[in-house]
Amino acid sequence: MAIEEQTFTVDAKGVGNPDFYRSQIPARTILAPNQKNWYAMYSMTIAAGSVVTVPCVTVPQHSRLYIGSGIICCDDLLNWQRVTWSIEIPGVVELEIGDVRYKVFENVIYPGAGVIVLESGYILSLDGYNLDPANSHGFSGQILGMMEEV
Amino acid sequence: MSKQEVFITIVEGKKITKKTIKAEQKPIEKLPPKVKDKLDLVLEGIQDLSKKIDKLKKEKGG
């Protein structure tokens, strides 16, 4: 059976959209109106045998931050590197909640019920280590999460 | 102790914030123990187990 050639007329409103845009939505957000995707990236050079403490985020008033995952990478191809992350509840406690050794790249995921929840005023910080005793290296860290107004 | 530049990009919904801060940098006081490759750890575990088995065999006279 021959397949008939079909032609589509796309009106001005549809230009730039998939031809089926009127009936199909390729991606639909699952976030509520009081929620927003939250991504952060931190890039730095760390001197040989040094550690840099990066204050990543202080959760604003009337907000809550959910951390789903983090990524760390560096340009050192030889040495194991290390990153730790901590949550500070001002006036209460500072708690180290993660410590990862990696070569070049690591991805830490907090799925489902394990997601990290930071309330208003909480501070998340990273300690990036350069364990190469001789050379400085470039590092990049990313945090993926969701900010919610409460 | 010195300061190190950190380049930060934060995306919240449609809002993008880019900034540079100075973060505290200091020498690592004590290096953590050298991390062994996972395969090395597995091999060490197997060797330990082999030694224990050999020891048990000798004790039982086998």
Side-chain angles (χ1 to χ4, degrees), chain A residues 36-47 49-55 80 82 101 129-131 147, chain B residues 4-14 21 23-28 31-38:
Chain A
K36 291 177 187 168
N37 284 322
W38 189 90
Y39 310 124
M41 187 167 94
Y42 309 86
S43 304
M44 73 210 89
T45 300
I46 304 178
S50 299
V51 53
V52 170
T53 298
V54 181
W80 284 91
R82 180 190 187 203
R101 314 293 170 92
Y129 290 74
N130 180 4
L131 300 181
M147 189 75 82
Chain B
Q4 188 62 259
E5 268 192 334
V6 180
F7 305 97
I8 300 175
T9 303
I10 296 176
V11 176
E12 185 175 343
K14 292 180 182 177
I21 64 167
E24 183 186 294
Q25 176 175 262
K26 58 186 180 183
I28 299 169
L31 284 174
K34 193 174 176 184
V35 175
K36 295 180 181 176
D37 284 336
K38 287 181 186 175

Side-chain angles (χ1 to χ4, degrees), chain A residues 61-80:
Chain A
Q61 286 279 317
H62 310 299
S63 295
R64 183 181 291 136
L65 177 62
Y66 299 82
I67 305 289
S69 69
I71 297 170
I72 183 77
C73 48
C74 76
D75 62 13
D76 184 356
L77 301 177
L78 295 176
N79 300 287
W80 284 91

Side-chain angles (χ1 to χ4, degrees), chain A residues 117-136:
Chain A
V117 183
L118 304 177
E119 302 289 347
S120 299
Y122 285 19
I123 302 167
L124 176 68
S125 61
L126 286 177
D127 281 350
Y129 290 74
N130 180 4
L131 300 181
D132 183 342
N135 304 296
S136 63

Side-chain angles (χ1 to χ4, degrees), chain A residues 87-95 120-123:
Chain A
I87 294 175
E88 181 187 338
I89 304 174
V92 179
V93 70
E94 182 171 351
L95 190 66
S120 299
Y122 285 19
I123 302 167

